Amino acid sequence: MKGVDHLAHERNKTEFDVDAMKIAWAGSRHAFELSDRMARLVASDPAFQKDGRTRLGRKELFKNTLRKAAHAWKRILELRLTEEEAGWLRNFVDEPSFTDLHWGMFIPAIKGQGTDEQQQKWLPLAYKMQIIGCYAQTELGHGSNVQGLETTATFDPETDEFVIHSPTLTSSKWWPGGLGKVSTHAIVYARLITNGQEHGVHGFIVQLRSLDDHMPLPGITIGDIGMKFGNGAYNTMDNGVLTFDHIRIPRNQMLMRVLQVTREGKCVQSNVPRQLIYGTMVFVRQTIVADASTALSRAVCIATRYSAVRRQFGSQDGGMETQVIDYKTQQSRLFPLLASAYAFRFVGEWLKWLYTDVTQRLQANDFSTLPEAHACTAGLKSLTTTATADAIEECRKLCGGHGYLCASGLPELFAVYAPACTYEGDNVVLLLQVARFLMKTVSQLGSGKKPVGTTAYLGRVQDLLQCCCDVQTAEDWLKPSVVLEAFEARSARMCVARAQNLSKFENPEDGFAELSADLVEAAVAHCQLIVVSKFIDKLQQDIPGKGVNQQLQNLCYIYALNLLHKYRGDFLSTGCITPKQASLANDQLRSLYSQVIFQ
Amino acid sequence: MKGVDHLAHERNKTEFDVDAMKIAWAGSRHAFELSDRMARLVASDPAFQKDGRTRLGRKELFKNTLRKAAHAWKRILELRLTEEEAGWLRNFVDEPSFTDLHWGMFIPAIKGQGTDEQQQKWLPLAYKMQIIGCYAQTELGHGSNVQGLETTATFDPETDEFVIHSPTLTSSKWWPGGLGKVSTHAIVYARLITNGQEHGVHGFIVQLRSLDDHMPLPGITIGDIGMKFGNGAYNTMDNGVLTFDHIRIPRNQMLMRVLQVTREGKCVQSNVPRQLIYGTMVFVRQTIVADASTALSRAVCIATRYSAVRRQFGSQDGGMETQVIDYKTQQSRLFPLLASAYAFRFVGEWLKWLYTDVTQRLQANDFSTLPEAHACTAGLKSLTTTATADAIEECRKLCGGHGYLCASGLPELFAVYAPACTYEGDNVVLLLQVARFLMKTVSQLGSGKKPVGTTAYLGRVQDLLQCCCDVQTAEDWLKPSVVLEAFEARSARMCVARAQNLSKFENPEDGFAELSADLVEAAVAHCQLIVVSKFIDKLQQDIPGKGVNQQLQNLCYIYALNLLHKYRGDFLSTGCITPKQASLANDQLRSLYSQVIFQ
């Protein structure tokens, strides 16, 4: 193998403008240059080296991360990096740390839910890292069901304080990153109780540790919840457990932007719309989808390079063996993942637009598109993170035995990515939310209420229930309208069939529970349609660079036709396509694999 | 949650004889009692404790395993355990270690491939662990393609020695467990060269380290290949890298049971049939399938107990939330895995019978069933290990956030199981072997050659191409003959369709390469049929214990109908069932979930 640069050989085959493709991926020249500059900064700094991380015991590993976080902070200050630059820098340091929660959850929570006075008091301390915060929501016994949290915040009118308390074992705060060893403060979510009445779950700023000796304050018990999946991965993070024994905080440490508690303990709704919180949710999920495409692209990059270098079998006359990338079995597993990385990239880009759109509407008190935007982002978060976690593991397998070595990078990539399927909404729970929204949309079709946004196609449900796919040759599958209609028809028909089955139940909730697994399938079909349609939309835009659009078109069809093949049971059982047409799609897919070019 | 024993609540619902079920699982009362006794022995011995393992750095982790391996050996000697008992004890110690390879590969290789004299010389040393051996086959550049190994063993007639040499970087032995730090000897696979002629790959006993100071012998370079997936997992094992610089060994250290090299360097085939090696392969794969069911059962047990204890949503009037095991979304993911554990258990049991049958036939020089047995075990190894690895990860996800903690046991279970998809045959390569055998079987159908064993159904191919599923109600899917025919028809039709597509290619090998992904699908269909049919066969036997057979029947239908639902694209596109029948199968599946009872 010595002396043969297999990657150079593959790269010489490239027929598209590689720099233009990089910019298409990044979204803009500015975004590309910024991330590239930060990547080089981190790569060239020995203090950020990752070698040997996986060999360390937990204590050394954690110290190592503290060291890097401190060094990153020093560099950010020295180089006067912008917040955007600093974010990229932390991203390339590539180790979960308490700073992620401080910058990513603690500060945004104060910004989003705090009053102006609260922001003026707390943000400067947080920006200078004079206090370090975490985000204490989940409890040992409570995750998805936020309304089930047990921690209480009881207003004491005598002292003008809230009493924060953990009444049970299951009410222990559990998971907050940064809590176990580092944080001085937390945003604690608790059931608000004033005058003996409950007022739902709200956020409170609570100091946890002394700013002098860093010891937990009296009445506060903190621990580290122990080892997590993978060698390094989230073991660089001090996810913690926390209980309160009647801890008192001043009234003005409840985040009161939306709901205020007066000196007398009365609850007063502010004129800030509660829906604002959904805007934040759209924002967070948009970043999760973008992160999915990044994580997936890293795994695919490793597996693709390995597949070009690795040779096995097929040697003739004692010559070199066949590159494994030339095997159709390898291609049919790898190339759809490459296509998914781009698909998720572009749907993430579209979600940025959606967030801007939602924000503008909220500012104009227009909440009409919010439920659709909420369902859409929930579904895309679920779809992209599940697919990415599975894809990273598939990439690991595509590297054979070598993928099992940490040296391949893939075991850590998987272990660090896996929680994305659970945090910010368990992926199955999210799909059930999407399904609920779809069933509601279908039930309102007769009432003249027009479905909007990503559900607009359901307005054409009569056509979609009757349409016939007219594919007759494999090439017919290369028409965007044909692909789109097949995906729309499949989703619409699955939704309608589920709605009909639901209507057979006397109690709709019983029906929803009984048929929930089927409803999840319909939600997946709908979400896949969104990704396919946004990919197709993207290709209608002018994408500069020789051959770039052509390559992206190949990937778009690979993404769609691979889904069509994998889920052909849906398409066939709803009569959207015939077995013959499914077989032609599969033929076309094979032919597309031959046209994929790397760099 | 305090004060409520949710498991007791679930257990009280049990309507079957739990002890009888344990025996049905173990295969016999003897097997159950033996494994139970060894499990208790390990659990009660503080020296075998696993707490804290995941927190250790690599060095401490490895020392910890050495300590346990030494302690295990001490206990085995003290208690005069049989080989079977010792195997179970090592199994429950539950940490991969060099002893696995010494007992599982080194000794069996000498027994299987060594002459009587070689066995007399080496086995006593190995049994007393005066020498410790590993199995050095895989190379950095060579895994699946054993014939591509580059290490050479050149006979030197002048000194009556073999010269073992690593000519390239890619010829470095890579992966052998026990090699990196512990082994004194290895079975090394190398290309045999005598008189300038190559004679294929053979095994050689090579001493690696001094028995005095444990240093590698001159000309031998050894290293540890570094960290692998997971915190503990295979990091307790010293997988190594090894190169030889013209190492000389006596001629009698080539394993010569099948092929002998004479003093003059001539190769002489012995009268031991070469096919014996396939018998060993059947044996090894049989144990892998059994191990799959064990690993899967551990994961399912954890996820099931968690699902019974965990409650989320659905609280009414401030009461307790709903146990997550009562959600259909949870059931539809978890119960098919529970069913798979039993399915793999019983197909593993059947493979034991197959191994006995093959061995008896080999002894009688009857090789007729060998290709079928080989294809069948290859397919079942692939099917069960892929499904088990995926299932463990699914069980981890079914435990929500808590599954991400090492405390759940699932991250380590996954990381330690993952390599089963790669070792002893990459799972995709194995499926291609199955596909090749199936295509050959189909092509010979016209010639009057009757397909045997697990391919016997292909003898009825004409019926299977025409049969019509007559399911009209959901309950019709509870007839073994109906289920079996659907799976047989699907597999037969997929095989025939692939064979027809292959016949369109001028060069069959080109066709095989181009259509390989489709061929893998046919192989999977065939293997699933084997598992389903062996599960059905098992239930025809008399299984003692009240309610045991009934529960196993439920699981058998859950296993089969879940596959039918998941792969309904296959069944529909081949016209084996109608969309309506697929939908009825899904209805029946939901109803079966309600009838699953735990312990």
Side-chain angles (χ1 to χ4, degrees):
Chain A
M1 200 171 280
K2 280 177 192 163
V4 183
D5 183 346
H6 301 273
L7 289 179
H9 171 70
E10 290 295 325
R11 282 175 168 155
N12 287 338
K13 292 193 218 162
T14 310
E15 286 166 2
F16 60 86
D17 181 336
V18 175
D19 287 328
M21 184 65 93
K22 287 180 186 170
I23 289 163
W25 172 270
S28 71
R29 179 171 292 278
H30 165 77
F32 168 68
E33 287 176 352
L34 180 63
S35 84
D36 193 53
R37 191 153 40 82
M38 290 301 119
R40 288 171 200 277
L41 187 66
V42 172
S44 64
D45 189 334
F48 291 132
Q49 265 191 335
K50 296 192 275 183
D51 315 32
R53 176 172 67 187
T54 54
R55 273 197 306 273
L56 301 177
R58 176 78 200 290
K59 201 170 170 180
E60 279 309 314
L61 181 68
F62 188 72
K63 281 195 203 165
N64 190 44
T65 302
L66 283 182
R67 212 176 289 131
K68 285 188 193 178
H71 183 70
W73 184 234
K74 188 167 151 253
R75 295 299 287 154
I76 289 166
L77 294 178
E78 284 171 355
L79 299 170
R80 298 171 178 276
L81 298 186
T82 64
E83 215 173 312
E84 191 185 11
E85 288 169 332
W88 275 107
L89 181 133
R90 278 193 294 271
N91 183 49
F92 284 118
V93 171
D94 195 27
E95 270 188 20
S97 91
F98 64 94
T99 50
D100 302 347
L101 286 305
H102 178 76
W103 294 100
M105 300 290 279
F106 183 73
I107 289 176
I110 296 174
K111 277 166 120 171
Q113 299 163 45
T115 61
D116 288 347
E117 302 81 63
Q118 289 176 321
Q119 295 191 33
Q120 277 159 27
K121 172 172 178 189
W122 295 99
L123 288 180
L125 295 169
Y127 280 136
K128 289 181 207 147
M129 295 198 85
Q130 290 171 337
I131 62 173
I132 298 173
C134 65
Y135 188 85
Q137 178 177 307
T138 319
E139 296 174 356
L140 181 59
H142 310 278
S144 296
N145 184 13
V146 178
Q147 294 312 314
L149 292 177
E150 291 179 85
T151 303
T152 52
T154 311
F155 182 63
D156 179 352
E158 297 207 4
T159 59
D160 197 20
E161 291 172 322
F162 288 107
V163 182
I164 312 286
H165 185 60
S166 313
T168 59
L169 174 67
T170 47
S171 72
S172 316
K173 292 294 173 187
W174 190 268
W175 276 118
L179 166 64
K181 298 179 171 69
V182 177
S183 293
T184 60
H185 289 67
I187 306 291
V188 174
Y189 287 85
R191 313 173 84 85
L192 170 63
I193 303 171
T194 68
N195 299 324
Q197 280 205 311
E198 292 226 3
H199 299 274
V201 170
H202 297 273
F204 301 80
I205 303 179
V206 184
Q207 183 170 351
L208 304 176
R209 289 184 168 95
S210 157
L211 293 180
D212 297 325
D213 64 6
H214 203 64
M215 292 302 288
L217 297 179
I220 287 179
T221 307
I222 306 182
D224 183 297
I225 59 170
M227 294 297 286
K228 289 140 284 182
F229 204 166
N231 317 64
Y234 268 90
N235 293 308
T236 58
M237 179 78 92
D238 53 335
N239 299 87
V241 50
L242 164 68
T243 59
F244 303 99
D245 182 5
H246 299 93
I247 294 302
R248 290 179 166 268
I249 59 168
R251 179 168 55 90
N252 67 8
Q253 287 182 212
M254 170 172 157
L255 293 173
M256 298 214 207
R257 187 165 177 213
V258 173
L259 184 86
Q260 290 169 7
V261 174
T262 66
R263 178 63 189 89
E264 295 74 35
K266 278 195 185 155
C267 289
V268 181
Q269 204 76 31
S270 77
N271 57 2
V272 175
R274 289 191 77 98
Q275 287 89 342
L276 266 188
I277 198 168
Y278 292 105
T280 313
M281 224 181 240
V282 172
F283 176 76
V284 172
R285 288 179 180 164
Q286 172 258 118
T287 63
I288 292 178
V289 172
D291 290 348
S293 68
T294 308
L296 180 48
S297 71
R298 291 172 70 186
V300 167
C301 183
I302 295 167
T304 305
R305 290 181 184 171
Y306 173 85
S307 303
V309 172
R310 179 72 168 183
R311 292 171 175 268
Q312 206 73 189
F313 291 111
S315 160
Q316 279 166 354
D317 310 324
M320 292 234 270
E321 294 174 288
T322 306
Q323 286 170 276
V324 299
I325 205 164
D326 288 336
Y327 287 106
K328 275 281 179 296
T329 42
Q330 192 85 354
Q331 295 179 356
S332 67
R333 295 162 70 197
L334 178 60
F335 293 173
L337 306 182
L338 172 67
S340 301
Y342 278 91
F344 297 169
R345 193 76 198 168
F346 296 140
V347 83
E349 213 171 70
W350 171 77
L351 278 176
K352 272 192 202 164
W353 168 85
L354 183 72
Y355 173 65
T356 317
D357 183 62
V358 164
T359 310
Q360 285 171 355
R361 287 172 189 266
L362 284 178
Q363 282 161 357
N365 273 319
D366 168 7
F367 306 130
S368 64
T369 63
L370 209 51
E372 187 271 323
H374 184 246
C376 160
T377 55
L380 290 175
K381 184 273 176 182
S382 175
L383 182 84
T384 58
T385 55
T386 295
T388 297
D390 291 350
I392 296 171
E393 172 61 6
E394 184 74 357
C395 285
R396 195 187 64 69
K397 287 184 183 166
L398 284 164
C399 294
H402 294 284
Y404 191 64
L405 283 173
C406 290
S408 75
L410 292 164
E412 284 305 282
L413 202 49
F414 180 72
V416 87
Y417 191 76
C421 297
T422 311
Y423 62 56
E424 288 298 318
D426 171 89
N427 280 355
V428 173
V429 174
L430 291 178
L431 288 175
L432 286 169
Q433 290 176 7
V434 175
R436 206 172 271 278
F437 179 72
L438 289 172
M439 291 305 102
K440 195 174 168 191
T441 305
V442 169
S443 74
Q444 293 176 335
L445 285 177
S447 73
K449 194 174 173 195
K450 272 211 164 180
V452 297
T454 55
T455 52
Y457 70 102
L458 290 174
R460 291 179 280 111
V461 69
Q462 289 310 327
D463 291 346
L464 292 172
L465 290 179
Q466 286 156 16
C467 66
C468 272
C469 174
D470 57 5
V471 163
Q472 292 186 320
T473 67
E475 289 71 33
D476 287 342
W477 278 116
L478 299 183
K479 296 175 191 160
S481 59
V482 168
V483 170
L484 206 54
E485 189 185 70
F487 275 83
E488 285 178 346
R490 165 210 186 200
S491 178
R493 292 178 194 195
M494 286 175 77
C495 286
V496 168
R498 266 63 171 174
Q500 284 169 348
N501 287 341
L502 273 180
S503 69
K504 294 175 194 156
F505 286 80
E506 256 184 54
N507 177 340
E509 282 310 308
D510 289 350
F512 201 87
E514 178 67 17
L515 302 176
S516 55
D518 295 352
L519 287 161
V520 163
E521 290 179 353
V524 168
H526 171 71
C527 296
Q528 288 175 347
L529 162 64
I530 301 177
V531 180
V532 168
S533 72
K534 298 306 164 194
F535 204 157
I536 290 175
D537 285 355
K538 172 75 186 179
L539 298 178
Q540 311 300 316
Q541 297 170 22
D542 182 35
I543 304 175
K546 175 175 161 273
V548 171
N549 203 311
Q550 180 54 47
Q551 272 300 306
L552 292 177
Q553 269 187 40
N554 281 356
L555 293 179
C556 178
Y557 288 114
I558 286 176
Y559 181 74
L561 296 183
N562 175 62
L563 284 182
L564 192 140
H565 179 67
K566 203 168 149 191
Y567 292 84
R568 62 194 180 281
D570 287 352
F571 290 89
L572 292 168
S573 62
T574 50
C576 295
I577 61 170
T578 64
K580 174 71 187 164
Q581 288 167 334
S583 170
L584 289 172
N586 195 31
D587 292 344
Q588 185 55 53
L589 197 51
R590 264 203 319 278
S591 141
L592 286 165
Y593 291 153
S594 318
Q595 298 164 41
V596 174
I597 299 168
F598 307 96
Q599 178 49 208
Chain B
M1 202 170 280
K2 278 177 193 162
V4 183
D5 182 346
H6 302 273
L7 289 180
H9 173 70
E10 290 294 326
R11 282 176 170 156
N12 288 338
K13 293 194 218 162
T14 308
E15 287 168 0
F16 59 85
D17 180 337
V18 175
D19 287 329
M21 184 65 94
K22 288 180 185 170
I23 289 164
W25 171 271
S28 69
R29 180 170 292 277
H30 166 76
F32 167 68
E33 287 176 350
L34 179 62
S35 84
D36 192 53
R37 191 153 41 85
M38 290 302 118
R40 289 171 198 276
L41 187 66
V42 172
S44 64
D45 189 335
F48 291 131
Q49 265 191 333
K50 295 192 276 181
D51 316 32
R53 176 171 68 187
T54 54
R55 274 198 305 273
L56 302 177
R58 176 77 200 290
K59 201 171 170 181
E60 279 311 313
L61 181 67
F62 188 71
K63 280 193 203 164
N64 189 45
T65 302
L66 283 182
R67 213 177 289 131
K68 285 190 194 177
H71 184 69
W73 183 234
K74 189 168 150 254
R75 295 300 287 154
I76 288 165
L77 294 178
E78 283 171 357
L79 300 168
R80 297 172 181 274
L81 299 185
T82 64
E83 215 172 313
E84 192 185 10
E85 288 168 331
W88 276 106
L89 181 133
R90 278 193 295 271
N91 183 50
F92 286 117
V93 171
D94 196 27
E95 271 188 20
S97 90
F98 65 93
T99 50
D100 301 348
L101 286 304
H102 178 76
W103 294 100
M105 299 290 278
F106 182 73
I107 290 176
I110 296 174
K111 275 165 119 171
Q113 298 163 46
T115 60
D116 289 346
E117 302 82 62
Q118 289 175 322
Q119 296 191 33
Q120 278 158 26
K121 174 174 177 186
W122 295 99
L123 288 180
L125 296 169
Y127 280 134
K128 290 182 208 149
M129 295 199 84
Q130 290 172 336
I131 64 173
I132 297 173
C134 66
Y135 188 86
Q137 178 177 306
T138 319
E139 296 174 357
L140 181 59
H142 310 278
S144 297
N145 184 13
V146 178
Q147 295 311 314
L149 293 176
E150 292 178 85
T151 303
T152 50
T154 311
F155 183 64
D156 179 353
E158 295 207 4
T159 60
D160 197 20
E161 290 171 323
F162 289 107
V163 181
I164 312 286
H165 185 60
S166 313
T168 60
L169 174 66
T170 47
S171 72
S172 315
K173 291 296 172 187
W174 190 268
W175 276 118
L179 166 63
K181 297 179 172 70
V182 177
S183 293
T184 59
H185 289 68
I187 306 292
V188 174
Y189 287 86
R191 313 174 84 85
L192 170 63
I193 303 171
T194 67
N195 299 324
Q197 279 205 314
E198 291 225 4
H199 299 274
V201 170
H202 298 271
F204 300 81
I205 302 178
V206 184
Q207 182 171 353
L208 304 176
R209 289 182 168 99
S210 157
L211 294 180
D212 297 324
D213 64 6
H214 203 65
M215 292 302 287
L217 297 179
I220 287 179
T221 308
I222 306 182
D224 182 298
I225 59 171
M227 294 298 285
K228 289 140 285 183
F229 204 165
N231 317 65
Y234 268 90
N235 292 308
T236 57
M237 179 77 92
D238 53 334
N239 298 88
V241 49
L242 164 68
T243 59
F244 303 98
D245 182 5
H246 299 94
I247 294 301
R248 291 180 166 265
I249 58 168
R251 179 168 54 92
N252 67 10
Q253 287 181 214
M254 168 173 159
L255 294 172
M256 296 211 207
R257 188 164 173 212
V258 172
L259 184 86
Q260 290 168 7
V261 173
T262 64
R263 178 64 189 89
E264 295 74 36
K266 277 194 187 155
C267 290
V268 182
Q269 203 77 32
S270 76
N271 57 3
V272 177
R274 290 190 76 98
Q275 286 89 341
L276 267 188
I277 198 167
Y278 291 104
T280 312
M281 224 180 237
V282 172
F283 176 76
V284 172
R285 288 178 180 164
Q286 172 257 119
T287 63
I288 291 178
V289 172
D291 290 348
S293 68
T294 307
L296 180 47
S297 70
R298 291 174 68 185
V300 167
C301 182
I302 295 168
T304 305
R305 290 181 183 172
Y306 173 85
S307 302
V309 171
R310 179 74 169 180
R311 292 171 175 270
Q312 206 72 189
F313 292 111
S315 161
Q316 279 167 354
D317 311 324
M320 293 234 269
E321 295 174 287
T322 307
Q323 286 171 278
V324 300
I325 204 162
D326 288 336
Y327 287 106
K328 275 281 179 295
T329 42
Q330 193 85 353
Q331 295 179 356
S332 68
R333 294 161 73 198
L334 178 60
F335 294 173
L337 307 183
L338 172 67
S340 301
Y342 279 90
F344 297 169
R345 193 76 197 168
F346 296 140
V347 81
E349 212 171 71
W350 172 77
L351 278 176
K352 272 192 202 163
W353 168 85
L354 183 73
Y355 173 64
T356 318
D357 183 64
V358 163
T359 310
Q360 285 171 355
R361 285 172 190 268
L362 285 178
Q363 281 163 354
N365 273 317
D366 168 7
F367 307 129
S368 64
T369 64
L370 210 50
E372 187 273 323
H374 184 246
C376 160
T377 54
L380 289 175
K381 185 272 176 184
S382 175
L383 182 85
T384 57
T385 55
T386 296
T388 297
D390 291 350
I392 296 171
E393 172 61 5
E394 184 73 359
C395 285
R396 194 187 66 67
K397 288 184 182 166
L398 283 165
C399 295
H402 294 283
Y404 192 63
L405 284 173
C406 290
S408 74
L410 292 164
E412 284 303 282
L413 202 49
F414 180 71
V416 85
Y417 191 77
C421 298
T422 312
Y423 60 56
E424 288 298 315
D426 172 88
N427 279 355
V428 174
V429 173
L430 291 179
L431 288 175
L432 286 169
Q433 290 176 7
V434 175
R436 206 173 271 279
F437 179 72
L438 289 171
M439 291 305 103
K440 197 174 165 190
T441 305
V442 169
S443 74
Q444 292 175 337
L445 286 175
S447 72
K449 193 176 173 192
K450 272 211 164 180
V452 296
T454 55
T455 52
Y457 70 103
L458 290 173
R460 291 180 280 113
V461 70
Q462 289 310 327
D463 292 347
L464 292 172
L465 289 179
Q466 286 156 16
C467 65
C468 272
C469 174
D470 57 5
V471 163
Q472 292 184 322
T473 68
E475 289 71 33
D476 286 343
W477 278 117
L478 299 183
K479 296 175 191 160
S481 59
V482 168
V483 171
L484 205 55
E485 189 185 69
F487 275 83
E488 285 178 346
R490 166 211 186 198
S491 178
R493 292 178 194 196
M494 288 175 77
C495 286
V496 169
R498 268 61 173 175
Q500 283 168 347
N501 286 341
L502 273 181
S503 69
K504 294 174 194 156
F505 287 79
E506 256 185 54
N507 178 338
E509 282 309 308
D510 289 349
F512 200 87
E514 179 67 17
L515 302 176
S516 54
D518 296 351
L519 288 160
V520 163
E521 291 179 353
V524 168
H526 171 71
C527 296
Q528 289 175 345
L529 163 64
I530 300 176
V531 180
V532 167
S533 71
K534 297 307 164 193
F535 205 156
I536 290 176
D537 285 354
K538 171 77 185 179
L539 299 178
Q540 310 301 316
Q541 296 172 23
D542 181 35
I543 305 175
K546 175 174 161 273
V548 171
N549 202 313
Q550 180 55 46
Q551 272 300 308
L552 292 176
Q553 268 186 40
N554 281 357
L555 294 179
C556 178
Y557 287 114
I558 287 176
Y559 181 74
L561 296 183
N562 175 62
L563 284 181
L564 191 141
H565 179 68
K566 200 167 151 195
Y567 292 84
R568 61 194 181 282
D570 287 353
F571 289 88
L572 292 168
S573 63
T574 50
C576 295
I577 62 170
T578 64
K580 174 71 189 162
Q581 289 167 334
S583 170
L584 290 171
N586 196 31
D587 292 344
Q588 185 54 55
L589 198 50
R590 265 203 319 277
S591 142
L592 286 166
Y593 291 154
S594 319
Q595 299 164 40
V596 173
I597 300 168
F598 305 99
Q599 178 51 206

